[in-house]
Amino acid sequence: MSDSKASFFKQSGWMVGATFLGGVLMFGVHMLVNRMMSVAQYTELFTLLKIVTFISMPAGGLTTVFAHQAAAAVDDESRRRLQTCARVVAVATITVWLVMIAVVTVGQDWIAHNLQITSRAAFWMTSIVALTTLLIPLSRGLLQGAQRFGPMGWTFLSDGAIRFGGALVILLAIAQTAAGVMAAALLGQCVSLAAGLWWGRDFLARSGARVDWRAWFGKAVPLMLGSGVVVFFMAADAIFARSLFPEDEDIYKFYVPGNMVGFAMAQFAVPIAAVMFPRIVHGAATADKTEAFRWTLILTAIVGAAAALLGTFAPWLPVRVMFKGEYAGGSALVPWFAWSMLIFTLANVLITNLMAKSDFRAIKWLVATAILYGSALAFSKPALQELEPLAAYRSVVLLLGLFNVVLFAAAAAFTWAIPPSKGKSRTT
């Protein structure tokens, strides 16, 4: 086995292990709160966390943007431009957050009413968490692009460990509220952000380099759109499901467990693609060949299929581990989520590979798929509200699975079936 292949498996193993352990600790928070809170309180917290995920849609793209730029920075001039970009974008991100806070202040009543959020303290704690959520992708993107997977893995571990420990102390000693859990999330993210900025501090030094911002946005926008599509597919269904039957708290026992199990399965496979991305970018910049895409696809398929089989033949097992007994009915949706998320993780590998190669021809089709998916959810709402809750939620998962297949097909077409047109830019 070549050194490159050995290092790929080593780095993939570390990232999967670190992300998985960090995820286990974060899911440990859910295990605590769903046992110590009422269904209504836990569902409200679940919705707030999905809002944070939605907020990360544009910022999450910054991980891809800076991972791409850092991996391609193979000389002093490109590294100096990277430093300027990182500093400017960090300041711009904080400015955007301040504007967002102003908008939320004006529209807080409308937002709280439509999302059935009763705790204003939890609402505002979530708004503060949004700042670290917007900044963490920048620091992790720089570490990922530089292939500093050791420090990057520790940012996931520290976030999970402090979030779990903080939630445990707050829930047992202070208050069993969503605001307290969001405070623990803020603490974990602050430590993770500080660690990421420390390990990537050389990327934030003043350089004085001039940046062609038109060219930078020309590459950053499609990268952010591609990443945004991935995040949208991971979060839209849960927020939509929350709006179907807002007056009946018992029905959340059906959807939340399956959604959480499916999300956990995706999180276990996605880190492999994170290792692949900078290798492909760096290989393109230095004309070095790499087999990272092939191995990533194989490993993701193996890991995802194993998780899907577990969800099919023992759907009760992850639900029983993660949730208290009254959520047992949620195991009915686990097999549907499991196979849907297997398709999603494979689509994510294809999309990540295309973005690493700066092959943006598929972006408009991926965005169109996300728009159609969102539209299908919106137009199906009246019909779904006429069904029994479990049947309605199963239909939501089926819609997710169907559009995951469409997403995979669109990415696959540009990966294997549609060669770039001669004489045309790969970004058109």
Side-chain angles (χ1 to χ4, degrees):
M1 182 181 291
S2 67
D3 289 341
S4 178
K5 191 182 297 183
S7 66
F8 173 77
F9 281 103
K10 181 179 178 181
Q11 291 170 343
S12 296
W14 162 245
M15 284 302 299
V16 168
T19 306
F20 178 71
L21 183 54
V24 166
L25 290 166
M26 290 187 184
F27 284 118
V29 176
H30 288 272
M31 293 172 64
L32 288 174
V33 299
N34 81 70
R35 285 168 169 79
M36 303 176 75
M37 292 180 176
S38 68
V39 174
Q41 287 176 314
Y42 175 63
T43 304
E44 181 170 275
L45 173 64
F46 181 76
T47 303
L48 291 171
L49 292 173
K50 286 299 181 179
I51 291 173
V52 171
T53 302
F54 247 97
I55 290 171
S56 72
M57 285 178 60
L62 290 179
T63 299
T64 306
V65 170
F66 281 100
H68 196 287
Q69 192 172 356
V74 295
D75 54 50
D76 288 340
E77 182 58 29
S78 59
R79 292 189 188 96
R80 292 175 64 242
R81 286 197 299 269
L82 172 61
Q83 290 171 331
T84 297
C85 287
R87 290 178 64 88
V88 171
V89 171
V91 173
T93 299
I94 295 172
T95 303
V96 168
W97 176 77
L98 291 173
V99 172
M100 184 186 72
I101 289 296
V103 172
V104 167
T105 300
V106 174
Q108 58 180 305
D109 292 334
W110 182 88
I111 296 170
H113 173 73
N114 281 274
L115 294 178
Q116 300 294 311
I117 298 171
T118 59
S119 171
R120 291 305 173 95
F123 179 82
W124 282 108
M125 188 59 68
T126 303
S127 300
I128 298 172
V129 169
L131 177 59
T132 51
T133 301
L134 290 169
L135 289 173
I136 284 177
L138 168 61
S139 64
R140 284 181 178 163
L142 293 170
L143 295 176
Q144 180 186 353
Q147 300 189 47
R148 299 176 186 177
F149 293 112
M152 185 178 178
W154 281 111
T155 66
F156 287 103
L157 284 173
S158 62
D159 190 2
I162 293 171
R163 189 177 300 204
F164 178 79
L168 182 63
V169 171
I170 291 171
L171 289 171
L172 291 177
I174 302 176
Q176 296 176 3
T177 65
V181 178
M182 293 307 297
L186 177 62
L187 180 60
Q189 287 200 344
C190 283
V191 172
S192 176
L193 176 61
L197 293 177
W198 172 258
W199 277 312
R201 61 191 182 280
D202 52 312
F203 293 116
L204 297 171
R206 289 186 179 276
S207 68
R210 295 181 62 85
V211 175
D212 183 348
W213 288 106
R214 183 175 181 179
W216 188 86
F217 277 106
K219 180 163 288 188
V221 169
L223 287 171
M224 294 178 73
L225 286 173
S227 297
V229 168
V230 171
V231 175
F232 181 79
F233 269 79
M234 292 180 72
D237 65 294
I239 294 179
F240 173 75
R242 165 75 165 167
S243 70
L244 284 179
F245 306 99
E247 303 302 325
D248 186 352
E249 68 176 44
D250 286 341
I251 59 175
Y252 301 126
K253 299 173 187 176
F254 294 134
Y255 199 84
V256 172
N259 180 274
M260 291 295 295
V261 171
F263 184 77
M265 291 176 178
Q267 289 297 96
F268 191 69
V270 165
I272 304 173
V275 176
M276 172 193 75
F277 184 85
R279 285 173 168 265
I280 293 178
V281 176
H282 187 78
T286 59
D288 292 334
K289 292 184 178 180
T290 176
E291 294 184 340
F293 171 63
R294 180 165 69 93
W295 285 112
T296 299
L297 196 60
I298 291 171
L299 286 175
T300 301
I302 292 172
V303 171
L309 289 172
L310 173 64
T312 300
F313 292 106
W316 50 268
L317 181 59
V319 174
R320 183 174 297 178
V321 170
M322 294 173 59
F323 296 90
K324 56 187 176 182
E326 60 187 297
Y327 288 84
S331 62
L333 296 181
V334 169
W336 301 96
F337 268 113
W339 291 102
S340 177
M341 296 315 291
L342 169 60
I343 299 168
F344 169 80
T345 54
L346 293 174
N348 177 65
V349 173
L350 302 186
I351 294 169
T352 302
N353 175 63
L354 290 170
M355 291 192 294
K357 293 180 176 180
S358 296
D359 188 350
F360 302 139
R361 296 171 301 141
I363 293 297
K364 60 185 178 182
W365 298 103
L366 301 179
V367 172
T369 301
I371 293 173
L372 287 174
Y373 171 46
S375 300
L377 289 176
F379 285 116
S380 67
K381 186 173 181 178
L384 293 178
Q385 288 176 321
E386 297 298 321
L387 301 176
E388 291 295 320
L390 184 57
Y393 287 140
R394 185 183 295 115
S395 298
V396 174
V397 183
L398 287 174
L399 272 175
L400 173 62
L402 172 63
F403 279 94
N404 278 338
V405 171
V406 176
L407 189 72
F408 177 86
F414 288 93
T415 300
W416 293 301
I418 305 176
S421 300
K422 293 183 179 180
K424 291 186 177 181
S425 167
R426 296 167 71 90
T427 62
T428 60

